[in-house]
Amino acid sequence: MDGVLYDSMPNHAKAWHESMAKFGISMTAEQAYATEGQRGIDTIKQMVREQQGRRIYAQTAQRMYDEKTRLFHLMPNPPIMPGVLNLMEKLHHQGIAICVVTGSGQRPLIDRLQQDFGKYLQRDHIVTAYDVKRGKPYPDPYLQGLKRAGGLKPWEAIVIENAPLGVQAGVAANIFTICVNSGHLPLEAFTEKGVNLIFDSMQKLDLTWQSRPSPMLKILPATDGKSTTRKS
């Protein structure tokens, strides 16, 4: 959702920085981008452990996350990423089910998904932070997404991600994983996680995605466990 469907990461980075400072935690924009996709309470527990050397209960982390959420919703609504609606229309035309797998649990954003993408997205095709016990980088969120899409097998799906931890989750679920690097992270942050393809914007992905499947391009498994492409 964030950084793929919505250009919301700048707002998230600012809200993370300002909210965590109130609890004596330093969180830079780079750290916000690097941990994006992870459940918010897991990010907070990690930051507290690393910077303050202590462990906190989930309830404490949730209260801190609630402050981050409050600040985020004081900011202007983030716009839809350019290229997203065009790509969704192509997928819809091809009969490809669209699911959203997000580390967020913020109800207003989840509701907005239905408002903006209701033509393409069913409510039960949304997986949030509260639908799994283990969030990204574990594969659980995407495995849950496969179930909600009708019990698909990993090779019947494609993951589109913008965050290293999300890429790691998609790869761990054995799903072909595309990265759209809409932030400011180096390519190595994604290649080391095993990503299959990288684009620098949703517009580039939309332009590359053909309006209907082409028999000229097949995705084949390579012997090293990574995927490659071959024209036939």
Side-chain angles (χ1 to χ4, degrees), residues 159-176:
V159 165
I160 301 175
E161 264 287 351
N162 73 303
L165 296 182
V167 167
Q168 185 175 342
V171 171
N174 293 316
I175 304 174
F176 189 87

Side-chain angles (χ1 to χ4, degrees), residues 14-168:
K14 184 177 180 181
W16 272 118
H17 174 73
E18 293 181 358
S19 62
M20 290 303 101
K22 296 183 178 182
F23 301 99
I25 298 294
S26 173
M27 190 165 188
T28 65
E30 289 74 17
Q31 289 171 315
Y33 277 92
T35 57
E36 198 270 316
Q38 190 175 31
R39 296 194 309 171
I41 61 172
D42 291 337
T43 297
I44 291 171
K45 291 166 72 175
Q46 175 185 330
M47 300 291 287
V48 170
R49 185 172 63 252
E50 291 176 351
Q51 295 189 27
Q52 298 181 345
R54 62 190 181 96
R55 297 180 181 275
I56 58 175
Y57 291 110
Q59 296 93 324
T60 301
Q62 183 64 56
R63 287 195 295 270
M64 297 168 69
Y65 184 62
D66 288 344
E67 175 60 13
K68 181 263 176 181
T69 299
R70 186 186 72 81
L71 293 179
F72 178 82
H73 288 298
L74 293 177
M75 300 176 186
N77 281 336
I80 296 174
M81 277 285 190
V84 164
L85 290 173
N86 286 338
L87 179 58
M88 282 195 171
E89 182 62 31
K90 291 176 182 178
L91 297 174
H92 181 69
H93 180 71
Q94 291 174 263
I96 297 175
I98 297 173
C99 298
V100 173
V101 177
T102 176
S104 175
Q106 300 179 41
R107 178 57 52 190
L109 278 180
I110 305 303
D111 291 341
R112 189 182 170 196
L113 287 172
Q114 291 280 271
Q115 174 185 326
D116 292 338
F117 308 114
K119 176 181 177 181
Y120 312 109
L121 181 65
Q122 299 178 31
R123 178 63 184 87
D124 59 358
H125 282 187
I126 301 173
V127 178
T128 74
Y130 301 116
D131 294 319
V132 293
K133 292 183 178 179
R134 300 189 308 175
K136 305 171 187 179
Y138 293 99
D140 305 33
Y142 281 113
L143 295 177
Q144 183 65 238
L146 293 176
K147 291 180 182 179
R148 295 197 176 187
L152 298 180
K153 301 299 183 182
W155 55 87
E156 295 177 304
I158 294 175
V159 165
I160 301 175
E161 264 287 351
N162 73 303
L165 296 182
V167 167
Q168 185 175 342

